[in-house]
Amino acid sequence: MNVLSVERLNVTFCTDEGDKHAVRDVSFTLNNEKLAIVGESGSGKSTVGKAILRLNSPSTRVTADTLRFKETDILTCSEREIRALRGQHISMIMQDPKFSLNPVVTVGDQIAEALRVHRRISKRQAREAAIAMLQEVSIADPEHVYGQYPHEISGGMGQRVMIAMMVIPEPDIIIADEPTSALDVSVQQDVLNILNRLIEKKNISLIFISHDLNLVKKFCDRVLVMYGGRVVESIRADELSNASHPYTRGLMESLPSLRHRRETLPVMTRDPAWLTQEPLT
Amino acid sequence: MISIDSLSFDVSSLTRHKRILSDITLNVREGECFGLVGESGSGKTSILKCLAGQFKGWKGRIEVKGASIADTSLKERSNTMQMVFQDPYGALHPRHTIRKILNEPLVIKGLSNRAERVEKALKDVGLDETFLPRYPHQLSGGQRQRVAIARAMILNPSVILLDEPTSALDVSVQAEILNLLASLHRRHQLTYLMVSHDLGVIAHLCERVAVMKAGEIVEVVSREDLVEGNVTHPYTKGLLQHAFSRE
Amino acid sequence: MKNIQTLKNAPFPARERHAPGQSKGALFFKALKKLCKNPLSASGVVIVGLLLVLTIAAPMIATHDPLTQDLSRVLSAPSWAHWFGTDEYGRDIFSRVVYGSRVTLYIIFLVTIIVGPIGLMIGTMSGYFGGWVDSTFMRITDIFISFPSLVLALAFVAALGPGLEHAVIAIALTAWPPVARLARAETLTFRNADYVVAAQLQGASSFRILFHYISVMCLPSLIVRLTMNMATVILTAAALGFLGLGAQPPLPEWGAMISTGRSYMLESWWLVAFPGAAIMLVSLAFNLLGDGLRDLLDPRTD
């Protein structure tokens, strides 16, 4: 049984300047795994993530043959059902914790609140669970951090708090939209390790949206490469180095490398045919 | 070309006192491409801002092409030193056309043959004159960064400060811009001082790199030593190991 | 030149909102069309447009001479001959309201061209230079803001003597501080922008940066603010007119018309109702237009 199945998902932004077809015929299924959606800016990767939670703005038209979480049809279910789905079953980690944490509530209370929305437990129990969760995301002094406000903690710490907040209701799927690109490299690895440990422990499936092929290659099981709103290639992460689609290869090769320095970096020539071909698998 | 001698910079408000840069000393040779690498808050951008005259009240001595920065005005330095910024969206005035953006430095300097110079500068960065009547929001990120580079080049400076010039761009566009910067460096004998958090990008372009941490330079290494792992400071080792593990 | 090739082959050209070749006129009509999408701002546009037509074509629209007295028809109720009735000297109120739009627009126009540049200059200078320039300008602004504007205008007119020009100066005197404040706040958000730093590095003078770089960015919100301000200007002008300190009789000014009509209000309602409605309608229209312009011009709502 797939946790999430998406078939021919199409998203169109309707604006004054005309319609913009941002996602075209995207299909994939998610089992208990770490799936990466990779692409450059404008490829539609974040839009796919938002469409799964129905978070797109009202002027957006979303259609799909299937968009189903377990038994629930995400496209047709009521506003109440989708609210129950968000957070409890599918949650989302955004790029920058500075913008996704409430600045006037202490981080501990925000985690506790995330739990209390979905479970009927007392304030004290929630507090204890939140502190335990802070410990799980490797925060050394959870009691102290519990009472701090978002602006008092660093970016890496903020992203750990976000992870704690998203994991604590024990959802089935976490959608992480560039969760580490606002962080320093040394912190990135810690945050990823924590995320990895938690989702494996709690048996959570992950959709990891990123522009960073190198990172995804190490971290995920399977990769969807998106270009111009389409999936151009679906490939196992450890096979990325032998990818067959020229776009994927181009992305891999255009990165400057420490080990093999080239005087001139290869530059991609984009083929309009990529926009119509069936995805490679 | 650029010599910085015991540069320190403090920011103090009523409640706290913070040291941004402490005792920075470095020399960039003529025609060299010198990198500053470090994490956010390490002070790498602050050095550029001191050079660009955005920070006032620093201590120490900075010389560009033999002239002390403290004794010359920005206007006097504009023929020697220009800057390319990180964010291609914020670096170009949103209500100026590309023509006006490139024309401005020439008008300020009172130079003649403006139309020719503007076209040549655009050609130099791989754009043609059809871009002239457009506004920045009609351009892609990479095209915008090209215009920003053209603007920096149009006064024929000998030094260019690069503040994370590719970190806001997609990898394929990053490759184009890095190639462009490398070819301009070769063709015009420029001196670059580049800031980046990405060791791969720095090592691609720069011959020497200063590794910064908490407002200090912990180590200056050559590209060869960096690639071969010949570094001494544990912090540099950590950064390097991390960069290698990603490839 | 491989790079050039790539750019030309790029399948996604940069999003073109308006083609570069489009003329200013075409852009204006496009903006007007966008403005009219919202029914409220559309009604603002229509009323302000009517006001402009009224002003230009007043002699053709007015049915009578606004100044001619006809003592045989004093205080007659609205009829086919006098659509809005007549006043205590038998002058046609409809024609006076029509001609009154000229006075109103004249005041708005003068106040705006005085207030806009002054507010922009003071605001951008204090925002850009900061330090003592900022402190000095802002304290002066604070002093002006701390007076109730009508009282300040009253004091000013009382000192200079009543008259239309003096009323304009008095209103301008009370209207510039909020504009300067706004321009300063906008400037603060732009003064450290990369493009300003780039201009400084090119050796641009402070005057050049203020004029070519910062003012341009402040203009949209300033235009919105000034449009909204016009409603207040109309009301202040009417209040000064009402108090007898603005336009002097027999000039048809809406506020002054209400003021003189007040004595006959109980038996002849039309003396105050029509100029009052005109004031209300026009100030409402400017507010709606301002709202619409904000949606159109403010980059933050994009």
Short mmCIF file of all heavy atoms in Angstrom, two decimals, chain B residues 97-126:
data_model
loop_
_atom_site.label_atom_id
_atom_site.label_comp_id
_atom_site.label_asym_id
_atom_site.label_seq_id
_atom_site.Cartn_x
_atom_site.Cartn_y
_atom_site.Cartn_z
N THR B 97 16.23 51.10 -16.62
CA THR B 97 16.45 50.12 -17.69
C THR B 97 17.92 49.72 -17.66
O THR B 97 18.76 50.39 -17.05
CB THR B 97 16.14 50.73 -19.07
OG1 THR B 97 16.96 51.88 -19.23
CG2 THR B 97 14.69 51.12 -19.19
N ILE B 98 18.22 48.62 -18.35
CA ILE B 98 19.61 48.17 -18.41
C ILE B 98 20.48 49.28 -19.00
O ILE B 98 21.60 49.51 -18.55
CB ILE B 98 19.72 46.88 -19.27
CG1 ILE B 98 18.74 45.81 -18.76
CG2 ILE B 98 21.13 46.35 -19.27
CD1 ILE B 98 18.87 45.48 -17.31
N ARG B 99 19.92 49.99 -20.00
CA ARG B 99 20.69 51.07 -20.60
C ARG B 99 21.07 52.11 -19.56
O ARG B 99 22.23 52.50 -19.43
CB ARG B 99 19.89 51.74 -21.72
CG ARG B 99 20.62 52.92 -22.34
CD ARG B 99 19.86 53.55 -23.49
NE ARG B 99 20.07 52.82 -24.73
CZ ARG B 99 19.08 52.24 -25.40
NH1 ARG B 99 17.85 52.32 -24.96
NH2 ARG B 99 19.33 51.60 -26.52
N LYS B 100 20.08 52.50 -18.75
CA LYS B 100 20.36 53.54 -17.75
C LYS B 100 21.35 53.02 -16.69
O LYS B 100 22.23 53.74 -16.26
CB LYS B 100 19.04 53.96 -17.08
CG LYS B 100 19.24 54.75 -15.82
CD LYS B 100 18.41 56.03 -15.78
CE LYS B 100 18.67 56.73 -14.48
NZ LYS B 100 18.52 58.13 -14.48
N ILE B 101 21.18 51.75 -16.31
CA ILE B 101 22.07 51.19 -15.29
C ILE B 101 23.52 51.25 -15.76
O ILE B 101 24.41 51.62 -15.01
CB ILE B 101 21.67 49.72 -14.99
CG1 ILE B 101 20.36 49.70 -14.22
CG2 ILE B 101 22.75 48.99 -14.23
CD1 ILE B 101 19.75 48.32 -14.08
N LEU B 102 23.74 50.91 -17.03
CA LEU B 102 25.11 50.90 -17.53
C LEU B 102 25.61 52.29 -17.88
O LEU B 102 26.80 52.57 -17.86
CB LEU B 102 25.21 49.98 -18.76
CG LEU B 102 24.95 48.50 -18.47
CD1 LEU B 102 25.03 47.69 -19.75
CD2 LEU B 102 25.95 47.97 -17.46
N ASN B 103 24.68 53.17 -18.20
CA ASN B 103 25.03 54.53 -18.58
C ASN B 103 25.45 55.37 -17.38
O ASN B 103 26.28 56.24 -17.49
CB ASN B 103 23.84 55.19 -19.27
CG ASN B 103 24.25 55.96 -20.49
OD1 ASN B 103 25.44 56.09 -20.77
ND2 ASN B 103 23.29 56.46 -21.21
N GLU B 104 24.82 55.10 -16.23
CA GLU B 104 25.04 55.93 -15.04
C GLU B 104 26.51 56.16 -14.71
O GLU B 104 26.94 57.30 -14.56
CB GLU B 104 24.32 55.32 -13.83
CG GLU B 104 22.86 55.69 -13.73
CD GLU B 104 22.67 57.11 -13.25
OE1 GLU B 104 23.05 57.44 -12.11
OE2 GLU B 104 22.13 57.91 -14.04
N PRO B 105 27.32 55.07 -14.58
CA PRO B 105 28.72 55.31 -14.22
C PRO B 105 29.42 56.21 -15.24
O PRO B 105 30.25 57.03 -14.85
CB PRO B 105 29.35 53.91 -14.22
CG PRO B 105 28.28 52.95 -14.46
CD PRO B 105 27.00 53.65 -14.66
N LEU B 106 29.06 56.08 -16.52
CA LEU B 106 29.70 56.89 -17.55
C LEU B 106 29.29 58.35 -17.42
O LEU B 106 30.10 59.25 -17.60
CB LEU B 106 29.33 56.36 -18.95
CG LEU B 106 29.68 54.90 -19.19
CD1 LEU B 106 29.14 54.46 -20.54
CD2 LEU B 106 31.17 54.70 -19.13
N VAL B 107 28.01 58.58 -17.10
CA VAL B 107 27.53 59.95 -16.92
C VAL B 107 28.21 60.58 -15.72
O VAL B 107 28.67 61.73 -15.75
CB VAL B 107 26.00 59.97 -16.74
CG1 VAL B 107 25.52 61.37 -16.43
CG2 VAL B 107 25.32 59.45 -18.00
N ILE B 108 28.30 59.82 -14.62
CA ILE B 108 28.93 60.35 -13.41
C ILE B 108 30.37 60.75 -13.69
O ILE B 108 30.84 61.79 -13.24
CB ILE B 108 28.88 59.29 -12.29
CG1 ILE B 108 27.43 59.06 -11.85
CG2 ILE B 108 29.71 59.71 -11.10
CD1 ILE B 108 27.24 57.84 -10.99
N LYS B 109 31.03 59.93 -14.49
CA LYS B 109 32.44 60.21 -14.79
C LYS B 109 32.59 61.21 -15.93
O LYS B 109 33.71 61.61 -16.24
CB LYS B 109 33.15 58.91 -15.16
CG LYS B 109 33.42 58.02 -13.97
CD LYS B 109 34.74 58.39 -13.36
CE LYS B 109 34.98 57.77 -12.03
NZ LYS B 109 34.29 58.21 -10.90
N GLY B 110 31.48 61.54 -16.60
CA GLY B 110 31.55 62.47 -17.71
C GLY B 110 32.30 61.91 -18.91
O GLY B 110 33.04 62.63 -19.58
N LEU B 111 32.18 60.63 -19.16
CA LEU B 111 32.91 60.02 -20.28
C LEU B 111 32.11 60.16 -21.58
O LEU B 111 30.89 60.28 -21.56
CB LEU B 111 33.14 58.53 -20.00
CG LEU B 111 34.03 58.25 -18.79
CD1 LEU B 111 34.10 56.79 -18.50
CD2 LEU B 111 35.43 58.81 -19.02
N SER B 112 32.82 60.14 -22.69
CA SER B 112 32.14 60.26 -23.99
C SER B 112 31.97 58.87 -24.60
O SER B 112 32.33 57.87 -23.99
CB SER B 112 32.98 61.15 -24.91
OG SER B 112 34.28 60.65 -24.97
N ASN B 113 31.42 58.82 -25.80
CA ASN B 113 31.19 57.55 -26.52
C ASN B 113 30.39 56.57 -25.69
O ASN B 113 30.69 55.39 -25.63
CB ASN B 113 32.51 56.85 -26.88
CG ASN B 113 33.26 57.61 -27.92
OD1 ASN B 113 32.67 58.49 -28.56
ND2 ASN B 113 34.52 57.31 -28.08
N ARG B 114 29.37 57.09 -25.00
CA ARG B 114 28.70 56.23 -24.02
C ARG B 114 28.04 55.04 -24.67
O ARG B 114 28.20 53.91 -24.21
CB ARG B 114 27.65 57.04 -23.26
CG ARG B 114 28.32 58.01 -22.32
CD ARG B 114 27.34 58.67 -21.41
NE ARG B 114 27.90 59.94 -21.01
CZ ARG B 114 27.26 61.08 -21.04
NH1 ARG B 114 26.02 61.13 -21.46
NH2 ARG B 114 27.85 62.18 -20.65
N ALA B 115 27.32 55.27 -25.76
CA ALA B 115 26.57 54.18 -26.39
C ALA B 115 27.50 53.03 -26.76
O ALA B 115 27.20 51.87 -26.51
CB ALA B 115 25.83 54.69 -27.60
N GLU B 116 28.66 53.38 -27.32
CA GLU B 116 29.60 52.33 -27.71
C GLU B 116 30.10 51.56 -26.49
O GLU B 116 30.16 50.34 -26.50
CB GLU B 116 30.82 52.94 -28.41
CG GLU B 116 30.58 53.30 -29.85
CD GLU B 116 31.72 54.16 -30.37
OE1 GLU B 116 32.88 53.80 -30.12
OE2 GLU B 116 31.43 55.20 -31.00
N ARG B 117 30.46 52.30 -25.46
CA ARG B 117 30.99 51.65 -24.26
C ARG B 117 29.95 50.72 -23.64
O ARG B 117 30.28 49.62 -23.19
CB ARG B 117 31.39 52.69 -23.21
CG ARG B 117 32.69 53.39 -23.52
CD ARG B 117 32.91 54.46 -22.47
NE ARG B 117 33.79 55.51 -22.94
CZ ARG B 117 35.03 55.68 -22.47
NH1 ARG B 117 35.50 54.87 -21.55
NH2 ARG B 117 35.78 56.65 -22.92
N VAL B 118 28.70 51.17 -23.62
CA VAL B 118 27.65 50.34 -23.04
C VAL B 118 27.50 49.05 -23.83
O VAL B 118 27.45 47.96 -23.26
CB VAL B 118 26.31 51.13 -23.00
CG1 VAL B 118 25.16 50.19 -22.74
CG2 VAL B 118 26.36 52.21 -21.94
N GLU B 119 27.49 49.17 -25.15
CA GLU B 119 27.33 47.97 -25.97
C GLU B 119 28.50 47.02 -25.80
O GLU B 119 28.34 45.81 -25.73
CB GLU B 119 27.16 48.36 -27.44
CG GLU B 119 25.71 48.56 -27.79
CD GLU B 119 25.51 48.82 -29.27
OE1 GLU B 119 26.20 48.16 -30.07
OE2 GLU B 119 24.69 49.68 -29.60
N LYS B 120 29.69 47.59 -25.72
CA LYS B 120 30.88 46.76 -25.57
C LYS B 120 30.85 46.03 -24.22
O LYS B 120 31.14 44.82 -24.14
CB LYS B 120 32.13 47.62 -25.66
CG LYS B 120 33.40 46.81 -25.68
CD LYS B 120 34.64 47.70 -25.81
CE LYS B 120 35.88 46.93 -25.40
NZ LYS B 120 35.89 46.57 -23.99
N ALA B 121 30.44 46.75 -23.18
CA ALA B 121 30.39 46.13 -21.86
C ALA B 121 29.38 44.98 -21.85
O ALA B 121 29.63 43.93 -21.27
CB ALA B 121 30.02 47.16 -20.80
N LEU B 122 28.26 45.18 -22.51
CA LEU B 122 27.25 44.12 -22.56
C LEU B 122 27.79 42.92 -23.33
O LEU B 122 27.59 41.78 -22.93
CB LEU B 122 25.99 44.63 -23.27
CG LEU B 122 24.84 45.10 -22.39
CD1 LEU B 122 23.63 45.38 -23.26
CD2 LEU B 122 24.49 44.08 -21.33
N LYS B 123 28.47 43.20 -24.44
CA LYS B 123 29.00 42.11 -25.25
C LYS B 123 30.03 41.31 -24.45
O LYS B 123 30.12 40.10 -24.55
CB LYS B 123 29.63 42.67 -26.52
CG LYS B 123 29.12 41.94 -27.75
CD LYS B 123 29.49 42.66 -29.02
CE LYS B 123 28.25 43.06 -29.79
NZ LYS B 123 28.36 44.34 -30.45
N ASP B 124 30.80 42.05 -23.65
CA ASP B 124 31.83 41.42 -22.82
C ASP B 124 31.26 40.37 -21.87
O ASP B 124 31.94 39.42 -21.51
CB ASP B 124 32.52 42.51 -21.99
CG ASP B 124 33.96 42.68 -22.41
OD1 ASP B 124 34.34 42.09 -23.43
OD2 ASP B 124 34.69 43.39 -21.70
N VAL B 125 30.02 40.56 -21.44
CA VAL B 125 29.45 39.61 -20.49
C VAL B 125 28.47 38.67 -21.18
O VAL B 125 27.73 37.95 -20.53
CB VAL B 125 28.73 40.34 -19.32
CG1 VAL B 125 29.73 41.13 -18.52
CG2 VAL B 125 27.61 41.21 -19.82
N GLY B 126 28.49 38.66 -22.51
CA GLY B 126 27.70 37.68 -23.24
C GLY B 126 26.25 38.04 -23.44
O GLY B 126 25.41 37.17 -23.62
#
